[in-house]
Amino acid sequence: MPNPVYRRPVSRRLAGGWKALCVLALLGWCLPLAAQPSGGPYGPIPQSYAVPTEGTVYYVAPDGRADAPGTAVARPTTIESAISRVVTGDSIVMRGGTYRTGGLQLNQGITLQPYLDERPVLVGTRIATDWEELRDGVWRTRWDTLFPAQPLAWWRREREGMHTPLHRFNNDMVFVDGRLLESAGWEGELGEDAYFIDYDTGHVYIGFDPEGREVEITAHDIALHRPSRPVHGKESDRKGPTIRGITFTRYAFRAIDIEGVKPSTGPNDEPTDDPVGPSDPSAHGKEVVGTTLENVTISFTSRVAGYFRGDGLVIRNSLVSDTGTEGIYVIGSSDVLLERNIIRRNNIERITGYYASAVKIFNQSYRVVVRDNLVIEHPHSNGVWYDVGNVDGVFANNHVEGTQIGFFFEISRGMVVAGNVFVDNRQGVRVLNSADAQVLHNTFVDSPVMFDRDERSAQGDHFGWHPATGPDVGEREGHAFVGNLLVATPGFDRPLLHFDQAEALCGTLRQPMATRVEHNAYIHAGLGDAPLVTWSPVAGRSCLARYATLDAFRAGARMGAGSVELPRYGGQLFRSVDLRNFDLAQRPAGLEEVEVDPAAAQALGWPAGKVLPGAFPALDAALRSE
């Protein structure tokens, strides 16, 4: 009889469980997810914020007066007025409540925070009240703040037009009683769950009676814009804001936009080419330095939660949820830290061909550390993607579950992926056209790993200069895959580990992509007809070998030293899959400790010595003592 703890979890149970965990995190509590990752608390932690004592403090309220000085809590001004007045070192203290506002521009290094334990919420919608009843259960209203958009120029309609209708690229959103509706292509597709916008006439259509219901429609495409140029009569001080305890929700396009050298773009322009072409890290990321977000919530943005440019960015204990094509988008920035955040439900409109990712680290960002986050509920999106020209990143102690690709490292160089738990991802880790990626001491549950390379280069590439920022075709090697635990539960029938190379390179690239594949543990209940490992390059027409067992892999690839395979395993392996606790409940026969890889020890803070394969260095102490 199969052990229920080892059973592959169903999606419905995962969604319900994570919903409960996220609610607890928002309240400042968290269920104990032990060890590596830490168990939190993740996401925003409610707290009381002391009023700053330095600089000028401006108090604002939803009902504040624009002409009030705002320097006394009893006489607040408006958020718009305070934003126009502050200078470096000042603070804006927000009273609780709903601020229906947007388009705020700020270029000073100030603090934005709540008053004590109050909860201010910036909202990008207005309530629609003037409805006209038509026929067949359809109502409409005229709306003067619409945000039509088109796919970016590189989107391939001939490939994706049959999967993604063009109206999905428009940035408007409609909510009824707090619930997001889905866009429709015409009035005949309406119902309780959809809306249609005629951009020629400026009408919004719904398929239900709005009487007694609150219908909101987007009125702003951004909450806070941090230009790198003059605004409100002040030059930029090149310092990023510190934002604490604020909620941003329901903005068309994005909630926060931190500029670099290039001014922020509109929805139909490429936002990521800053810098353009290969650039030394000393030459970019300097326009706005030191932006900090703590205990911030950003939700329901039709494209991204925020574009973040500038060195020294820190985002911690924040919630980014229900976003469009990206959640957190870091561009051309160095020395960045993302930690203890909850990042969930990206690509909520299921747009295809846009390479959606909940977190995108893009365009020559150096030393970006993503540590101890929950990346969950992304069935239509990748998790965290370091893409194009990034160098020396660290991805450690994260829990990544329910994504297409949990961690993606592409056209970049130098990465340590260590101490993470990957659960039920189409791919746990993918390393594509990159160099020197070290994947060390991770736990993979039904989440295969792939290293691959192809002939893509800077010559004639669909994205122009992008490949020139990373290793060239002949340099995509130097990877290590060491000390990992790979588990396939009953019913999983795909290879656990891939090293795949395009056939076009068979005659030119004969060296392996990896220098070390060792001290890993492969535990499975049976993979059906699928091999355990695929390996390339090898001699032959396709230069790809399929190895059904670890012994065959060792003999054919001359890799796999110190590794172990436990096939047809049916015992209790993890302490509790249902509680998302993936430390080992017991040591299966044949599983031995391995030496800690030095790069993993540095990234994780583990001492030198021997540990069990995977993200958890020792057996659960409570169960080990029984």
Side-chain angles (χ1 to χ4, degrees), residues 265-344:
T265 60
N268 300 324
D269 303 312
E270 178 57 58
T272 61
D273 52 355
D274 184 5
V276 176
S279 173
D280 188 272
S282 64
H284 60 264
K286 308 298 184 289
E287 295 301 313
V288 179
V289 175
T291 299
T292 300
L293 275 65
E294 294 177 330
N295 300 311
V296 167
T297 295
I298 304 177
S299 66
F300 293 105
T301 51
S302 62
R303 282 297 161 264
V304 304
Y307 291 111
F308 297 98
R309 305 170 182 88
D311 297 353
L313 168 70
V314 175
I315 302 178
R316 64 163 58 95
N317 280 109
S318 293
L319 169 64
V320 176
S321 179
D322 297 282
T323 48
T325 49
E326 287 84 20
I328 298 171
Y329 211 136
V330 177
I331 304 168
S333 305
S334 298
D335 302 306
V336 171
L337 175 62
L338 310 181
E339 66 176 355
R340 297 192 300 276
N341 303 294
I342 300 172
I343 307 152
R344 67 183 184 190

Side-chain angles (χ1 to χ4, degrees), residues 416-626:
V416 175
V417 182
N420 304 286
V421 175
F422 298 91
V423 182
D424 203 20
N425 303 280
R426 183 66 185 172
Q427 290 178 344
V429 166
R430 185 179 183 188
V431 176
L432 172 63
N433 291 336
S434 294
D436 304 323
Q438 301 182 72
V439 181
L440 314 167
H441 300 286
N442 302 281
T443 294
F444 298 92
V445 181
D446 292 346
S447 299
V449 178
M450 172 175 279
F451 297 81
D452 58 331
R453 61 188 176 191
D454 59 30
E455 64 274 30
R456 184 180 178 188
S457 71
Q459 286 72 46
D461 189 75
H462 184 61
F463 291 94
W465 50 266
H466 289 186
T469 64
D472 204 357
V473 175
E475 302 171 331
R476 296 163 181 174
E477 57 190 25
H479 306 312
F481 189 72
V482 178
N484 299 286
L485 173 64
L486 299 90
V487 177
T489 66
F492 186 89
D493 59 358
R494 290 179 283 140
L496 294 183
L497 180 60
H498 299 259
F499 290 89
D500 293 357
Q501 177 174 302
E503 286 190 39
L505 299 177
C506 288
T508 56
L509 295 186
R510 297 184 176 88
Q511 76 282 5
M513 284 172 269
T515 58
R516 292 187 299 150
V517 183
E518 59 195 28
H519 302 301
N520 302 297
Y522 307 83
I523 302 178
H524 58 89
L527 299 175
D529 294 330
L532 181 73
V533 180
T534 66
W535 180 258
S536 182
V538 296
R541 181 176 177 182
S542 68
C543 68
L544 179 70
R546 297 161 56 89
Y547 297 115
T549 67
L550 178 61
D551 287 342
F553 173 57
R554 283 198 192 101
R558 300 181 184 276
M559 292 279 185
S563 298
V564 62
E565 179 186 7
L566 304 180
R568 296 177 297 281
Y569 185 81
Q572 179 175 333
L573 184 60
F574 300 115
R575 184 170 187 183
S576 178
V577 170
D578 291 316
L579 290 179
R580 328 318 291 151
N581 190 333
F582 291 95
D583 48 355
L584 293 175
Q586 61 180 347
R587 183 204 304 269
L591 187 65
E592 301 293 336
E593 285 91 351
V594 300
E595 290 289 341
V596 175
D597 186 277
Q602 181 177 0
L604 302 174
W606 291 358
K610 289 193 172 184
V611 298
L612 290 169
F616 299 91
L619 290 176
D620 179 86
L623 292 181
R624 184 176 53 197
S625 63
E626 292 178 358

Side-chain angles (χ1 to χ4, degrees), residues 60-90:
V60 304
D63 59 353
R65 294 174 55 91
D67 58 353
T71 52
V73 67
R75 298 186 61 195
T77 186
T78 63
I79 181 69
E80 295 85 356
S81 180
I83 285 281
S84 70
R85 301 181 205 172
V86 287
V87 296
T88 302
D90 290 348

Side-chain angles (χ1 to χ4, degrees), residues 80-135:
E80 295 85 356
S81 180
I83 285 281
S84 70
R85 301 181 205 172
V86 287
V87 296
T88 302
D90 290 348
S91 299
I92 297 176
V93 174
M94 302 182 68
R95 301 302 304 268
T98 298
Y99 298 74
R100 293 191 182 273
T101 187
L104 304 172
Q105 289 196 311
L106 169 74
N107 69 353
Q108 302 289 291
I110 64 112
T111 296
L112 183 67
Q113 69 169 60
Y115 177 68
L116 303 180
D117 61 352
E118 297 183 2
R119 296 192 177 184
V121 180
L122 276 68
V123 180
T125 57
R126 297 198 317 267
I127 298 174
T129 57
D130 186 14
W131 292 95
E132 173 189 3
E133 183 178 4
L134 303 179
R135 55 179 294 183

